[in-house]
Amino acid sequence: MCVQNCGPSFQSLIVKKEFVKENLVKLLNPRYNLPLDIQNRILNFIKTWSQGFPGGVDVSEVKEVYLDLVKKGVQFPPSEAEAETARQETAQISSNPPTSVPTAPA
């Protein structure tokens, strides 16, 4: 909520490498044993923030952290938009069953 409602000065602080690595990525460590939904939210924040904000906030540091996590093999959950697109495609496929191909008589 803060990211959406605060201005560029706040946004520029949360996308700093120090904040992301020392506060968010650190929480993904197995010793903290966070529930999977919380881990996925953290990963979604990192992924979303690395894509930028309106207003020209420099996101190069969080993007660097995101790319580093991708290189390490971290699986990021699909974003809300990606999940919605997948749901729509699934609904379209299930509502339009494949037509049967006529077969030649034996």
Side-chain angles (χ1 to χ4, degrees):
M1 183 168 33
C2 289
V3 173
Q4 294 173 350
N5 296 322
C6 293
S9 58
F10 177 79
Q11 293 169 346
S12 65
L13 292 173
I14 62 154
V15 295
K16 293 291 181 195
K17 191 175 197 175
E18 296 85 33
F19 174 77
V20 175
K21 283 193 101 159
E22 294 174 15
N23 295 297
L24 297 180
V25 174
K26 182 180 177 181
L27 291 173
L28 299 173
N29 190 314
R31 72 178 166 166
Y32 291 106
N33 198 25
L34 285 179
L36 190 57
D37 61 324
I38 301 297
Q39 291 179 36
N40 285 336
R41 289 188 81 165
I42 291 170
L43 291 171
N44 267 330
F45 286 144
I46 294 169
K47 182 179 179 180
T48 302
W49 296 345
S50 73
Q51 295 168 354
F53 294 102
V57 174
D58 178 24
V59 295
S60 59
E61 292 184 35
V62 72
K63 190 171 200 158
E64 183 181 323
V65 172
Y66 170 73
L67 293 173
D68 187 44
L69 291 171
V70 169
K71 284 181 190 173
K72 290 180 179 178
V74 173
Q75 295 292 317
F76 284 80
S79 67
E80 294 293 324
E82 292 167 340
E84 181 60 31
T85 301
R87 280 192 292 270
Q88 288 175 355
E89 288 173 356
T90 302
Q92 185 177 10
I93 290 170
S94 63
S95 67
N96 296 328
T99 58
S100 61
V101 177
T103 57

